Amino acid sequence: GQQVMQIPQYQHVQEGEDFTTYCNSSTTLSNIQWYKQRPGGHPVFLIQLVKSGEVKKQKRLTFQFGEAKKNSSLHITATQTTDVGTYFCAGFTNAGKSTFGDGTTLTVKP
Amino acid sequence: DAGVIQSPRHEVTEMGQEVTLRCKPISGHNSLFWYRQTMMRGLELLIYFNNNVPIDDSGMPEDRFSAKMPNASFSTLKIQPSEPRDSAVYFCASTLREDYGYTFGSGTRLTVV
């Protein structure tokens, strides 16, 4: 079945450093979504990417969808302590089936 | 809107007991999802409903798990009998349209001892 892999599993950064998490699917996706889950919280929807090669920005966050629609990345510029949490990607197939990656847990040292 | 409402927030039960988790989706959302989150297996989709009809229950672990959505504003996930390996956080999520993203509830932390 469909597999969605995320790397790295954990990332520890100093406040102000950049952070990137990568998401790779075993199959071509119709779209991909990104979520953030704060410690002890629930996943919160951040964004959806649909088009091949699409790039979207939300303040310090930059999301990319690969040309082949099998991979995606989330980049945070100049991390802040408020960025801590686990970032999940969720890949969707044309059949509407979604698979969440295992997430990348980000910790930020002030 | 109060968002997706789940109850209870925490549940501790003994092995063999029946457990019922409840979810109220956002009004107007026509798709509802039940997820289970554990350290070992991450976020797993158990079942999802569209317009109150179960569409895909391939993620339901076994016959001990059942889910219902009797109307657009209420869903239950039942485990009978419960086992220690069912201990996890169970999330309910709803959406109006897939490209709007899923709105998750705060989850039910289930501990089976």
Side-chain angles (χ1 to χ4, degrees), chain B residues 8-9 11-12 16-17 25 31 40 48-49 51 56 66 73 76 80-81 83 85 89 91 100 103-106:
Chain B
R9 289 296 307 274
E11 176 81 32
V12 180
Q17 296 297 307
S31 295
M40 291 296 294
Y48 86 89
F49 296 84
N51 293 321
D56 184 354
S66 62
S73 59
T76 59
Q80 166 64 20
E83 297 181 2
R85 60 192 169 123
V89 180
F91 288 107
Y100 289 177
T103 302
F104 282 77
S106 298

Side-chain angles (χ1 to χ4, degrees), chain A residues 17-49:
Chain A
E17 292 181 337
D18 292 355
F19 159 76
T20 305
T21 174
Y22 300 91
C23 183
N24 295 290
S25 171
S26 59
T27 59
T28 301
L29 301 171
S30 64
N31 57 288
I32 194 163
Q33 295 179 355
W34 284 92
Y35 292 78
K36 176 183 178 181
Q37 184 176 18
R38 294 181 183 275
H42 56 275
V44 174
F45 174 71
L46 295 177
I47 208 162
Q48 172 166 280
L49 303 170

Side-chain angles (χ1 to χ4, degrees), chain B residues 3 12 28 35-39 51 54 57 60 63 80 92-93 96-97 101 105-108:
Chain B
V12 180
Y35 284 88
R36 177 173 67 176
Q37 187 174 41
T38 61
M39 288 292 292
N51 293 321
D57 65 354
M60 295 285 264
D63 291 345
Q80 166 64 20
C92 175
L96 174 61
R97 278 172 41 176
S106 298
T108 295

Side-chain angles (χ1 to χ4, degrees), chain B residues 23-90:
Chain B
C23 175
K24 176 180 168 55
I26 290 175
S27 177
H29 283 193
N30 56 11
S31 295
L32 182 141
F33 308 81
W34 282 100
Y35 284 88
R36 177 173 67 176
Q37 187 174 41
T38 61
M39 288 292 292
M40 291 296 294
R41 300 177 67 89
L43 205 55
E44 303 174 274
L45 176 65
L46 301 178
I47 186 171
Y48 86 89
F49 296 84
N50 191 48
N51 293 321
N52 312 337
V53 177
I55 302 300
D56 184 354
D57 65 354
S58 60
M60 295 285 264
E62 49 199 89
D63 291 345
R64 296 185 298 107
F65 285 69
S66 62
K68 293 182 180 179
M69 192 165 186
N71 57 62
S73 59
F74 184 66
S75 177
T76 59
L77 177 67
K78 186 176 292 186
I79 308 173
Q80 166 64 20
S82 57
E83 297 181 2
R85 60 192 169 123
D86 301 330
S87 298
V89 180
Y90 290 81

